[in-house]
Structure formats: C-alpha cells, structure tokens
Amino acid sequence: MTQPRSSLVSIEDTPWYHVVSRCVRRAFLCGEDRVSGHNFEHRRQWIETRILELAAIFTIDVAAYAVMSNHYHVVVRLDPERAASLDTESVLRRWTRLFSGPELVRQYLSTRRKLMCAAQVRRVEEYAQTYRARLADLSWFMRVLNESIARQANEEDGVRGRFWEGRFKSQALLDDAAVLAAMSYVDLNPVRAGMVETLEQSDHTSLQRRIRPEAKEENGNAPIESACQNHSSVTPNELRPECELRSLPRAPLMPFDATGQFEPAIPFAFEDYLELTDALGRCVHPAKRGSIPAHRLRLLDQLGMDAETFIQQSSHLLRAFGSAIGAPEHLVDLAAQRQCRYLRGISMARALFTRPAA
C-alpha cells in the first residue's frame, strides 16, 4: 500500500512539478492551420521525442506528458541527489551533448587532458559544478526543450521571432495526491478535448506509450533536416545544431512502484492508475459522458480523495490552483512560509483532498 509522502511545504524542497508551455503564434504548434492549410501534426513527435531525450541527459524523470495542438504538459520529478553523485567527467559529457562548452572543457574530455595544468583542471571542475546544478534544474530543461523545438519550427516555417508564449508555467506538487491529480489530468487531455474516445487512441501521451508500446514511434515524422554548423561557429552557451541533437539517447518513462522501495518512482501501482484513468476517461469525454463508477476507485480511496469531486472537477482541476497543488494543510503551511494569508486553490484542495465524513 502506498504511504503518503511526508509534509512538503516548500516549493524549493518538492521534487515534483506539473509544467505547461503554450505556442504564441497563430499557426498551431501542431495540428492543422485552417488559415494557411498547412498541417503541423508531425511536430507532436518532435516534442515527445525531445522530452524523452532530455530526460536521458538531465537528472529529471518524466512521469507524464501530453502534446496538444497549441501547448503541451509534462509532469516531472527533479533528482538533484542523482546529479550530485555524478563525477566531473560524467557531468561534462552529459552537458556537452547539448552545448559545446568552453575550450578547456573540450580539452579535458579529449586526449589533451594530460597537457592541462592544475589551475586549468580546477577551472574545469568549477564548470562541472555549474553544469551539475543545471542538470537538475527545471528551467534549464525547459529552456533546451523549447529552444530546440522553436528552432525547428521557425526553420520549417521560414520565419524568425518568438514561438512560445513567454516563460513556461509550473505548479509544485506537494504530495502524492497532487502527483496523481496532475498525472491523470495530463494523460486525459486528448479525451477531455474530444479528440479521441479511448486512452489507447490518445496519441503522443505518456499513457498511450505505457499501454501501447508498439504505437510509440508510429505517429509523426522525424525532425526536419537542417544544415549542421561547424563546432567553431557555436559559442559555449549556444545549443548544438539539430543534426547533432538528433542522436541523443531516450530515457524510459518513470516507473510505478506502490511498495515505496524504489524512491525515484511514481508512488502507486500502475494497475490502480490505469483503472482510475479509464473510469475518469469515460466521465470526461464531452460527447460521451459516462456516469461516476458505482464501485470505489482503489487509488482515490487509498489517498483519501473524494471520487465524486475528483471526477466532477477534473476538467478544470489544475487551473483551480496557483503555483502549488496539494492537501489543504500543505497549502496552509506554504502560505505561512511565504508570509501570505491565502494561496489560490485552497477551496478546491479542501473539496478534493478531504474525504467526506461517512
């Protein structure tokens, strides 16, 4: 049985986040632009692939994602302890898969390392310490993800300028119930939008990737071809050209583990999560709304969540909260820490995360 995580009252302390990023341009991120007649559906695969590639470089695990027409969602877990455990060379090799790095770093990673003096090695170790922190940093993960997608889209469209709607938006997930709410909201986006009728048909979502492994590469095209720049023309802080990023490895999705024995895992059983999302999917489809299941959903019962409120409020669940999602006591503690009287979402938290008295 899953044990609820201990109280997490600090945004800085919680490793779990729900992130959403939106496209600003009239032309859709994905899907079909009715004005121009161009179809951008293949860009969904760009985003899905790049999310998993970056998870293999950063010490950030991906629990859920959904790529929609003009935005995408990701639920991630940051792992700074894993980043801290990496030695200098491992950190530098990871980082230089994305950025060329300074000349000293390139020398350190080559056969020329033996020619470096002690002062140069110390400077490289300082670089590694900076990169080590970035490998567990959500802002750097999103910067690389959005910049690489914008670069491909701009090249395909033959334009320059802003592609994303400013900075991404994130919500800290303060407890296991908040993680569950965020994941189910994200995985059910295509069903909720009426794009598909079943979980199996929900292309470019983490849930389809889990239940239909054979479908994970069948939709979408590979990234567009682009001229590869010479290394000498790329500054240390400039993202590598797409022809080099295309060779990145891909990380698997974060596993489920209800036993609590494996910490970097989603803290409940996949069978329970699938039962919940399947039942919820039949209730939230705009054209085929089902009834609330008569039987008790084990995962909601286990986490002390009210099933009726969870299902009824699922379409706007995350929008009811501000920068953090969690049980009422966790939001109250966080408000006290911030020295503010109120945090957005406290009313929803009381309705959702508090089981009604029998």
Side-chain angles (χ1 to χ4, degrees):
M1 178 174 180
T2 304
Q3 297 298 321
R5 196 178 309 123
S6 58
S7 179
L8 296 172
V9 298
S10 172
I11 292 291
E12 291 73 24
D13 291 341
T14 180
W16 290 90
Y17 287 87
H18 162 248
V19 187
V20 60
S21 192
R22 296 183 180 277
C23 181
V24 72
R25 198 177 292 165
R26 172 186 58 79
F28 277 176
L29 165 65
C30 306
E32 184 173 348
D33 182 353
R34 297 179 181 177
V35 176
S36 67
H38 295 157
N39 189 292
F40 302 104
E41 192 67 19
H42 55 279
R43 292 178 180 174
R44 294 184 194 271
Q45 190 66 53
W46 293 0
I47 300 168
E48 181 176 7
T49 298
R50 187 51 42 86
I51 287 171
L52 298 174
E53 288 173 340
L54 294 183
I57 300 294
F58 287 80
T59 60
I60 295 178
D61 298 306
V62 176
Y65 63 81
V67 185
M68 305 299 288
S69 292
N70 63 353
H71 68 284
Y72 67 87
H73 297 264
V74 191
V75 176
V76 297
R77 180 186 182 275
L78 314 186
D79 196 346
E81 292 184 2
R82 185 167 17 127
S85 70
L86 297 173
D87 60 30
T88 296
E89 182 167 346
S90 297
V91 168
L92 296 178
R93 292 201 179 279
R94 284 177 182 240
W95 192 253
T96 54
R97 295 296 298 269
L98 303 174
F99 300 88
S100 62
E103 172 58 31
L104 279 179
V105 169
R106 296 197 292 272
Q107 182 177 350
Y108 183 89
L109 294 175
S110 72
T111 57
R112 296 178 292 149
R113 183 190 306 185
K114 59 185 178 182
L115 303 177
M116 298 175 69
C117 66
Q120 290 174 317
V121 172
R122 284 197 299 272
R123 182 64 181 123
V124 169
E125 291 172 349
E126 291 174 1
Y127 282 128
Q129 190 63 17
T130 298
Y131 301 153
R132 186 177 286 109
R134 291 177 181 177
L135 289 175
D137 189 297
L138 180 60
S139 293
W140 275 94
F141 181 91
M142 294 300 296
R143 170 188 166 176
V144 176
L145 174 57
N146 280 353
E147 181 180 333
S148 63
I149 298 302
R151 191 167 61 182
Q152 292 182 73
N154 281 350
E155 182 172 344
E156 183 179 58
D157 293 343
V159 299
R160 301 174 62 183
R162 183 182 295 274
F163 184 78
W164 298 103
E165 188 182 68
R167 182 176 169 81
F168 65 90
K169 295 179 175 60
S170 66
Q171 294 173 299
L173 307 176
L174 303 181
D175 45 50
D176 291 350
V179 172
L180 173 64
M183 287 185 60
S184 62
Y185 180 92
V186 169
D187 274 327
L188 284 167
N189 255 269
V191 175
R192 186 182 302 107
M195 298 168 58
V196 297
E197 296 184 359
T198 68
L199 303 177
E200 291 80 1
Q201 297 170 337
S202 299
D203 293 339
H204 306 295
T205 64
S206 52
L207 190 54
Q208 188 199 56
R209 192 175 189 89
R210 294 183 191 277
I211 60 181
R212 286 188 59 204
E214 76 283 357
K216 61 187 179 183
E217 304 298 343
E218 70 185 22
N219 295 297
N221 300 324
I224 57 175
E225 297 294 330
S226 58
C228 192
Q229 305 175 39
N230 187 283
H231 284 190
S232 62
S233 66
V234 180
T235 64
N237 294 318
E238 184 178 345
L239 195 61
R240 287 188 178 277
E242 186 59 34
C243 61
E244 296 179 23
L245 296 182
R246 198 177 305 130
S247 63
L248 294 175
R250 301 181 194 179
L253 289 169
M254 196 173 187
F256 285 79
D257 178 31
T259 67
Q261 296 177 354
F262 182 54
E263 185 177 349
I266 301 164
F268 25 84
F270 177 64
E271 294 76 13
D272 294 342
Y273 180 70
L274 187 58
E275 177 193 35
L276 171 65
T277 51
D278 183 62
L280 186 58
R282 291 194 293 270
C283 296
V284 301
H285 192 287
K288 304 183 68 173
R289 292 190 181 276
S291 59
I292 297 175
H295 68 285
R296 301 180 72 168
L297 294 168
R298 180 167 42 187
L299 193 49
L300 295 183
D301 194 50
Q302 186 174 298
L303 294 176
M305 300 169 68
D306 180 43
E308 185 170 351
T309 302
F310 185 79
I311 292 173
Q312 290 179 345
Q313 304 294 336
S314 62
S315 62
H316 58 279
L317 184 62
L318 301 193
R319 293 195 295 271
F321 291 91
S323 60
I325 304 172
E329 61 270 22
H330 294 162
L331 292 180
V332 169
D333 287 346
L334 185 57
Q337 179 186 340
R338 291 179 170 181
Q339 298 182 343
C340 61
R341 296 178 58 187
Y342 176 81
L343 277 181
R344 181 182 169 192
I346 189 68
S347 298
M348 176 63 78
R350 288 173 178 147
L352 178 63
F353 300 124
T354 304
R355 182 184 294 145

